């Protein structure tokens, strides 16, 4: 059974309303962040979308979203050893490692749920960098227009108002490190609960040297400041890595699957 029939026109908000804080952040004078080149993007936020399902429900049916959630749970790995086994099982590269598996993991979840073609090469998402033309070709092939929309957001994840423009189950995100970040990250939104909290299943530091694959809340619209997006921009957690200062990019399906 699918979602309700079409609702009112959705108009994406302007996503650059607040200036990015570029004041120095120096939690550890001896620490150095990984430099990332400036991103040049052409905003694609002006088109008006006509949803094929009820407002805020996305293009996927209830059954498709349930399968996405079920598939994501199969990748949970509570320990570093378990996470390494998952990375090796995915075989996205020889000597696959949990520390850099975010892209292959995110696309594998979509693949296993049948939301992208089974033929997708998850190796193409290993260390994928949307600043590079070759990576843009990969993204355009897997998330083609007009079936998908690409939303580039220049605001940091902890400054963006997700209550006004919420994430949807099945969204694929690339998170940009920004000036003060130390890593970049990819993830799939695996579910959105009844009060609007968005979740993902992704690889995370559990301490300075170890990882796990966990389900985490990205944000909670009822509790501003709560969620992984805020943890990743919390300078007190710099030893576990910081990201999201440079904004993020969403690839969202807007047409029902055939």
């Amino acid at each position: 059974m699918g979602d309700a029939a079409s609702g009112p026109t959705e108009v994406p908000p302007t996503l650059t309303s607040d200036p990015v804080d570029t004041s120095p952040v120096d939690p550890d004078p001896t620490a150095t962040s990984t430099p990332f080149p400036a991103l040049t993007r052409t905003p694609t936020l002006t088109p008006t979308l006509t949803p094929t399902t009820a407002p805020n429900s996305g293009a996927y049916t209830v059954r498709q979203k349930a399968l996405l959630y079920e598939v994501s749970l199969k990748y949970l790995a509570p320990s570093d050893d378990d996470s390494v086994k998952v990375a090796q099982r995915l075989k996205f590269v020889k000597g696959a490692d949990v520390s850099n598996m975010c892209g292959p993991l995110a696309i594998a979840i979509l693949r296993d749920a049948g939301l992208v073609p089974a033929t997708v090469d998850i190796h193409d998402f290993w260390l994928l960098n949307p600043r590079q033309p070759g990576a843009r070709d990969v993204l355009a092939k897997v998330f083609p227009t007009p079936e998908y929309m690409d939303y580039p957001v220049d605001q940091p994840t902890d400054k963006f108002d997700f209550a006004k423009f919420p994430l949807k189950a099945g969204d694929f995100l690339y998170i940009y490190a920004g000036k003060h970040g130390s890593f970049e990250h990819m993830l799939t939104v695996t579910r959105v609960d009844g009060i609007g909290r968005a979740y993902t299943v992704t690889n995370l530091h559990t301490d300075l040297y170890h990882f796990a694959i966990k389900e985490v809340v990205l944000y909670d619209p009822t509790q501003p400041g709560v969620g992984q997006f805020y943890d990743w921009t919390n300078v007190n957690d710099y030893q576990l890595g910081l990201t999201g200062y440079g904004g993020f990019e969403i690839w969202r399906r807007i047409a029902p699957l055939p």
Side-chain angles (χ1 to χ4, degrees):
M1 181 175 69
D3 288 338
S6 61
T9 300
E10 174 185 358
V11 181
T14 301
L15 303 186
T16 56
S17 57
D18 294 332
V20 176
D21 181 7
T22 58
S23 58
V25 175
D26 190 17
D28 179 1
T30 65
T32 57
S33 297
T34 302
F36 294 96
L39 174 67
T40 301
R41 290 173 287 174
T42 302
T44 57
L45 297 173
T46 53
T48 298
L49 308 185
T50 303
T52 55
T53 56
N56 300 321
S57 66
Y60 298 118
T61 66
V62 170
R63 183 173 182 179
Q64 287 166 340
K65 287 185 285 189
L67 180 58
L68 173 65
Y69 174 51
E70 292 172 9
V71 162
S72 72
L73 298 182
K74 296 179 182 179
Y75 284 98
L76 295 177
S79 71
D80 193 72
D81 288 344
D82 292 335
S83 300
V84 170
K85 291 176 183 177
V86 171
Q88 293 174 343
R89 190 165 68 242
L90 282 174
K91 298 180 180 178
F92 55 88
V93 70
K94 185 176 181 180
D97 187 76
V98 66
S99 67
N100 55 31
M101 70 178 294
C102 64
L105 175 60
I107 202 67
I109 290 172
L110 288 173
R111 177 199 64 188
D112 295 353
L115 303 185
V116 296
T119 55
V120 67
D121 187 350
I122 65 173
H123 170 76
D124 290 341
F125 286 78
W126 177 58
L127 304 180
L128 179 141
N129 183 344
R131 302 174 184 83
Q132 300 171 347
R136 284 285 163 183
D137 291 341
V138 168
L139 292 162
K141 181 179 179 181
V142 178
F143 307 120
T145 54
E147 289 88 358
Y148 288 84
M149 281 292 294
D150 174 6
Y151 298 94
V153 179
D154 293 329
Q155 287 177 274
T157 56
D158 63 331
K159 304 296 184 185
F160 186 74
D161 189 346
F162 288 101
K164 291 183 177 178
F165 193 77
L167 296 177
K168 299 183 180 183
D171 284 353
F172 180 90
L173 273 67
Y174 189 97
I175 303 173
Y176 293 97
K179 180 180 178 181
H180 304 303
S182 57
F183 74 102
E184 307 209 277
H185 201 70
M186 287 167 271
L187 60 85
T188 290
V189 179
T190 50
R191 68 181 175 111
V192 178
D193 68 17
I195 63 172
R197 291 176 295 198
Y199 296 77
T200 190
V201 169
T202 192
N203 54 315
L204 297 161
H205 270 288
T206 54
D207 59 37
L208 189 58
Y209 303 106
H210 298 96
F211 286 84
I213 301 174
K214 302 170 63 177
E215 181 185 53
V216 293
V217 176
L218 295 170
Y219 64 84
D220 182 345
T222 69
Q223 299 185 76
V226 173
Q228 192 63 45
F229 283 158
Y230 303 93
D231 295 342
W232 276 330
T233 52
N234 183 348
V235 295
N236 294 324
D237 294 332
Y238 73 92
Q239 288 186 320
L240 301 182
L242 301 175
T243 192
Y245 294 103
F248 55 100
E249 198 160 353
I250 308 167
W251 285 265
R252 173 176 295 172
R253 188 168 185 93
I254 59 172
L257 284 169

